[in-house]
Amino acid sequence: MRDAFHEDLNWISEQLVEMTRLAGSAMSRATTALLDADIALAEGVIAADQRLDDIRVQIDDRAIDLLARQQPVATDLRMIVTAMQMGADLERMGDLAKHIAKVARLRFPNSAVPAEIRPIIIEMDTVAKLIVTQTGAIISRKDAQGATQLVQADDRMDALHKQVFTLLLDERRQYGIEEAIDITLLARYYERFADHAVLVAHRVAYLVTGEWQTVEGRQPTDNDPQSTH
Amino acid sequence: MRDAFHEDLNWISEQLVEMTRLAGSAMSRATTALLDADIALAEGVIAADQRLDDIRVQIDDRAIDLLARQQPVATDLRMIVTAMQMGADLERMGDLAKHIAKVARLRFPNSAVPAEIRPIIIEMDTVAKLIVTQTGAIISRKDAQGATQLVQADDRMDALHKQVFTLLLDERRQYGIEEAIDITLLARYYERFADHAVLVAHRVAYLVTGEWQTVEGRQPTDNDPQSTH
């Protein structure tokens, strides 16, 4: 019975890794759709999000079934509850990639991103994918220290987020209000995507150690995008 | 033993209602701080958010303790898991009110909200508080039908959200980029606050009926704020 239990837990863990892969792929394709004004690709990202929603439901169903049948305590119990929270974070990351794809679709045949802001969006995408890929590996290895390795990438995301606002507010450039609205929301979507991925990595540490790991005293919380302009 | 179990469940339910009260109060005071450029009030909202975080931790601890000690199945199990999800939503609502307070603090001694947009922000606040107050009552009464009563208020919030973008893009008005950034994010915070409250009300229905209630085929999901401009 215990073996069947751990097989089920492994299955849940594999599904969470699969969700990181799908979320990373969705982000990648959403960014391409946005920069290339590729509406077919945008539609593909929007449609594919259902897969992430479905996996999350399957994880919840399996988790609740496990709780009912096996009545786990201590670490096993904590693992199941935490897995459900991780599923919720990863589903939300898919939503954020979908929002980016919807901006691409809305502005088609134009691109929502002005030329000077493209390099920042490209790097935000790169950092987001790096974080979500590492988070997948952290889940897979049950790596309690893994979240600490994401600090640098997460700091880079915050710096890019600030850079977007600095550029938008540069008086030598004359952005339109519509551009400002799009870019403000896009930057928030990338930044929140990374936040949720970092939170998932922290949950792995919590699972393994039972302690909520803070990195240099920092909790993985929502940043305030405006605090720097 | 079962009586102690239901006492614990009642305690959790009361804490969730208390969270709706605190989230509503935070939103109310954040809006006043924003419109009156009242920095002391803004600081108060930011500091008070800790209370919501604490209650959420207490709910999770009690829920996990209940799962371990009582090993509930069926409806009781579902109630506990769902209560944890509701706690997460309500904590997030507190974060969103705090973000609004932080915009107020950032722009002090000015108000971040231009005169023509004030009436919309005031109404967004009114609708947000109406929804969170009703959600508190829905939790309290375990009202499976309650979420359907929020449709109108939620539609109103969406309409206000669109109205903000229409105003921002009105060419006769000349908004600055900084104003556009602030208003874009503020409008998103109000709208997300209402979304989470509606989601909590839907979770009550799920708790009571075991069925995820969709209202006129709609799932309570994140709207795409840009889809209408």
Side-chain angles (χ1 to χ4, degrees):
Chain A
M1 188 158 124
R2 282 286 119 178
D3 276 355
F5 178 76
H6 285 104
E7 260 175 43
D8 276 345
L9 270 188
N10 273 341
W11 181 88
I12 289 174
S13 175
E14 282 164 16
Q15 297 309 305
L16 291 170
V17 174
E18 173 69 1
M19 286 183 87
T20 63
R21 197 188 64 73
L22 290 170
S25 161
M27 182 51 100
S28 193
R29 286 176 298 131
T31 302
T32 303
L34 182 71
L35 297 175
D36 297 354
D38 183 335
I39 196 163
L41 194 57
E43 295 286 4
V45 173
I46 294 162
D49 185 55
Q50 185 62 47
R51 178 84 188 110
L52 274 166
D53 297 350
D54 291 345
I55 297 179
R56 191 229 167 149
V57 170
Q58 287 165 19
I59 289 172
D60 277 4
D61 286 351
R62 185 78 71 111
I64 288 175
D65 185 56
L66 263 179
L67 289 172
R69 281 190 299 110
Q70 305 272 359
Q71 313 214 320
V73 295
T75 306
D76 288 345
L77 170 57
R78 197 168 59 203
M79 285 184 78
I80 296 171
V81 170
T82 305
M84 284 192 278
Q85 293 168 339
M86 292 160 82
D89 285 314
L90 287 160
E91 184 195 334
R92 182 76 195 136
M93 290 163 66
D95 290 342
L96 292 162
K98 185 171 71 175
H99 289 348
I100 292 170
K102 284 191 174 177
V103 178
R105 183 172 70 179
L106 181 67
R107 296 298 168 226
F108 178 81
N110 301 313
S111 169
V113 185
E116 331 66 86
I117 294 183
R118 291 172 72 92
I120 307 185
I121 294 291
I122 289 170
E123 198 181 341
M124 287 184 118
D125 172 60
T126 302
V127 174
K129 280 182 301 185
L130 174 77
I131 294 177
V132 73
T133 304
Q134 291 194 355
T135 296
I138 288 165
I139 297 171
S140 203
R141 301 193 297 265
K142 298 181 178 44
D143 179 356
Q145 302 308 316
T148 62
Q149 296 159 17
L150 299 182
V151 174
Q152 227 178 348
D154 198 33
D155 285 349
R156 182 69 194 140
M157 182 61 93
D158 292 344
L160 289 165
H161 198 193
K162 289 170 192 171
Q163 217 176 311
V164 166
F165 290 116
T166 307
L167 262 180
L168 277 181
L169 292 168
D170 184 339
E171 287 181 6
R172 289 164 303 176
R173 301 169 200 272
Q174 296 283 323
Y175 293 105
I177 297 294
E178 187 172 88
E179 282 175 320
I181 294 171
D182 283 348
I183 298 297
T184 297
L185 290 170
L186 286 167
R188 182 157 176 86
Y189 299 149
Y190 283 98
E191 203 262 340
R192 292 294 294 153
F193 183 97
D195 277 350
H196 279 282
V198 170
L199 191 54
V200 169
H202 277 273
R203 293 196 199 281
V204 173
Y206 175 71
L207 264 185
V208 175
T209 65
E211 294 291 320
W212 192 254
Q213 309 278 316
T214 54
V215 178
E216 295 157 24
R218 298 184 303 185
Q219 290 276 3
T221 54
D222 187 11
N223 288 305
D224 301 293
Q226 302 113 309
S227 58
T228 50
H229 73 261
Chain B
M1 188 154 126
R2 280 288 118 176
D3 277 354
F5 178 77
H6 285 102
E7 262 176 40
D8 276 343
L9 270 189
N10 274 341
W11 181 88
I12 289 175
S13 175
E14 282 163 17
Q15 297 310 305
L16 290 171
V17 174
E18 173 68 2
M19 286 183 87
T20 64
R21 197 188 63 73
L22 289 170
S25 162
M27 182 50 102
S28 195
R29 286 177 298 130
T31 302
T32 303
L34 182 71
L35 296 175
D36 296 353
D38 182 336
I39 196 162
L41 194 57
E43 295 285 3
V45 174
I46 294 162
D49 185 54
Q50 186 62 45
R51 178 85 188 109
L52 273 167
D53 298 350
D54 291 345
I55 298 179
R56 191 233 166 143
V57 169
Q58 288 165 18
I59 289 173
D60 277 4
D61 286 350
R62 184 78 72 111
I64 288 176
D65 186 56
L66 264 180
L67 288 174
R69 280 190 300 108
Q70 303 273 358
Q71 314 216 320
V73 294
T75 307
D76 289 345
L77 170 57
R78 197 168 58 203
M79 286 183 78
I80 296 171
V81 169
T82 305
M84 284 192 277
Q85 293 168 339
M86 291 160 83
D89 284 315
L90 287 159
E91 184 196 334
R92 182 75 194 137
M93 288 163 67
D95 290 341
L96 291 162
K98 185 171 70 173
H99 289 348
I100 292 170
K102 285 191 174 178
V103 177
R105 181 171 71 177
L106 180 66
R107 297 293 170 231
F108 178 82
N110 300 311
S111 168
V113 184
E116 329 70 82
I117 294 182
R118 291 172 72 92
I120 306 185
I121 294 290
I122 290 169
E123 198 181 341
M124 287 184 118
D125 172 60
T126 303
V127 174
K129 279 183 299 185
L130 174 77
I131 294 178
V132 74
T133 304
Q134 291 194 354
T135 296
I138 288 165
I139 297 170
S140 205
R141 299 194 296 266
K142 298 183 178 46
D143 179 355
Q145 301 308 314
T148 62
Q149 295 158 17
L150 299 180
V151 173
Q152 228 178 348
D154 197 33
D155 285 349
R156 183 68 194 141
M157 181 61 92
D158 292 343
L160 289 165
H161 198 194
K162 288 170 193 171
Q163 218 176 310
V164 167
F165 291 117
T166 306
L167 263 180
L168 277 181
L169 291 168
D170 185 338
E171 288 180 5
R172 289 163 304 175
R173 300 169 200 275
Q174 296 282 324
Y175 292 106
I177 296 294
E178 188 173 87
E179 283 176 319
I181 294 171
D182 283 348
I183 297 298
T184 298
L185 290 170
L186 286 167
R188 184 159 176 85
Y189 299 150
Y190 284 97
E191 201 263 341
R192 291 294 294 153
F193 183 97
D195 278 350
H196 280 283
V198 170
L199 192 53
V200 169
H202 277 274
R203 293 196 200 280
V204 173
Y206 174 71
L207 265 184
V208 175
T209 64
E211 295 289 322
W212 193 253
Q213 310 277 318
T214 55
V215 179
E216 296 159 22
R218 296 184 305 182
Q219 289 278 359
T221 56
D222 186 13
N223 289 305
D224 300 294
Q226 301 114 310
S227 60
T228 51
H229 73 260

